[in-house]
Amino acid sequence: MNAAAPVDPAAIQRAAKLLARGGLVAFPTETVYGLGADADNRTAVAAIFAAKGRPADHPVIVHVQETRALDAWAREVPATARALAQRFWPGPLTLVLKRSPRAHDGLTGGQETVGLRSPAHPWARALLAAFCAARAEATAALAAPSANSFGRISPTRAEHVRADLGEKPAGKVDLILDGGACPIGIESTIVDLSGAQPRLLRPGAITRAQLEGAIGEPLVDADAFAPRAPGRLEQHYAPCTPLELIEPGRLPARVNELRGTRLAVLAPAAVPPDRTADIVLRLVAPADAQEYASRLYTMLHELDAAGAQRILIERPPTGPAWEAVADRLRRAAG
Ligand code: TXA
Ligand code: MG
């Protein structure tokens, strides 16, 4: 886990007031930083899309304080959803459910479903509590996609948000809360419970095995008929520098082939070469899947900023623990 900054009550109060007045606030969650707005305020939700440059037909996740908000934002909530919320909320799990009338088109992208998550990060929880108090409404919620420009790498530190969206007046966000590095580092697991069978839309820190254990049936993978989800576009979470995934053992040969090209490399410690002049940045890949995930986007931001012409990443190990990391790397490579 990365170091977390202690919650700053004054900053939380300021943020809650800004949100209640329709402002945009970037805030840390246990997964990545979110770009939050009052989910009931259509103008504020529209401002999120404008700030990100995100197409309006993409849905955003609605962040709620407690499980009881399920019935405010969703309808026909199945027992499996309650079981998963009971088990994994607050935490890095998003449930896609049939929407209630309150979940307007600006949140769902016009779909009949809504994505709900109750975050665990102390700053996010403090913010939701203060925001619900400011709105005098226990089921008030924050619409929040990741706080990055559309298609770019998700932010796991306040600096990432400052460098990309920035604070007003020069930037696009009313306030960026700095709660330190996000401990999990990749976006929440998304499960769709709106249909006949539970489906895994996006792998994350809560694994397929944990979910299947909790619901007692296998998870179907998202297919071509899945609801639109930008996280599912192949070109997403992408650095600006072209990124290549290299099969284990192939890196030295590939570096040789690319002689004369400035390279930024991410590979396990044991992998040569590390003395080539062409390599402008060499990062050591963590051997543990959770640690790899927690540092993945920070490493991608660094590799992207190194002035390289190409990023080379050795494909990490396969296996259930690596599913979410493999998914994000595949998308980053495009
Ligand atoms: O960890 C996270 O989930 C972070 C933090 C801020 O909570 N949020 C995040 O939001 O990753 P975003 O918008 O970057 O990605 C949310 C994903 C998108 O792929 C979106 O399409 C999907 O959730 N999603 C939201 N509502 C949905 C729905 N009704 N049906 C299908 N997918 C949905
Ligand atoms: Mg995102």
Side-chain angles (χ1 to χ4, degrees), residues 31 34 54 59 61 63 113-114 117 145-146 187-188 190 202 229-231:
T31 57
R54 184 182 194 174
I61 295 174
H63 295 70
T113 56
V114 61
R117 157 163 132 80
S146 50
E187 303 83 351
S188 59
I190 304 181
R202 181 171 74 183

Side-chain angles (χ1 to χ4, degrees), residues 50-267:
K52 282 181 64 93
R54 184 182 194 174
D57 64 347
H58 289 195
V60 290
I61 295 174
V62 174
H63 295 70
V64 298
Q65 201 183 358
E66 295 172 343
T67 306
R68 69 171 144 153
L70 273 174
D71 298 291
W73 294 95
R75 69 184 158 85
E76 298 169 35
V77 177
T80 45
R82 295 192 199 280
L84 290 180
Q86 179 71 31
R87 177 88 164 260
F88 298 110
W89 281 7
L93 176 67
T94 297
L95 303 176
V96 171
L97 299 166
K98 289 182 184 154
R99 67 168 167 179
S100 75
R102 189 171 175 183
H104 54 87
D105 284 348
L107 297 168
T108 71
Q111 300 184 73
E112 288 309 312
T113 56
V114 61
L116 298 174
R117 157 163 132 80
S118 181
H121 194 284
W123 281 72
R125 297 206 65 70
L127 182 62
L128 274 166
F131 171 66
C132 288
R135 282 269 329 266
E137 163 68 76
T139 59
L142 294 176
S146 50
N148 52 283
S149 298
F150 181 64
R152 294 266 74 89
I153 306 168
S154 294
T156 53
R157 296 167 181 270
E159 300 90 274
H160 297 156
V161 187
R162 273 187 218 115
D164 178 2
L165 300 176
E167 260 177 358
K168 289 175 184 170
K172 298 173 174 164
V173 183
D174 290 291
L175 179 65
I176 299 171
L177 291 174
D178 186 351
C182 301
I184 290 173
I186 55 171
E187 303 83 351
S188 59
T189 305
I190 304 181
V191 180
D192 179 3
L193 298 170
S194 68
Q197 278 176 299
R199 291 184 312 164
L200 183 64
L201 296 188
R202 181 171 74 183
I206 293 178
T207 63
R208 181 191 293 274
Q210 281 177 294
L211 294 166
E212 290 176 345
I215 60 181
E217 61 177 305
L219 275 176
V220 177
D221 272 332
D223 52 27
F225 304 106
R228 289 184 302 272
R232 304 198 45 73
L233 296 178
E234 286 304 314
Q235 269 269 320
H236 201 61
Y237 314 102
C240 300
T241 315
L243 186 162
E244 252 181 68
L245 285 180
I246 310 292
E247 294 308 322
R250 278 276 304 148
L251 189 64
R254 189 69 186 124
V255 168
N256 239 337
E257 286 162 15
L258 291 168
R259 197 172 289 270
T261 307
R262 288 191 312 280
L263 302 172
V265 173
L266 170 62

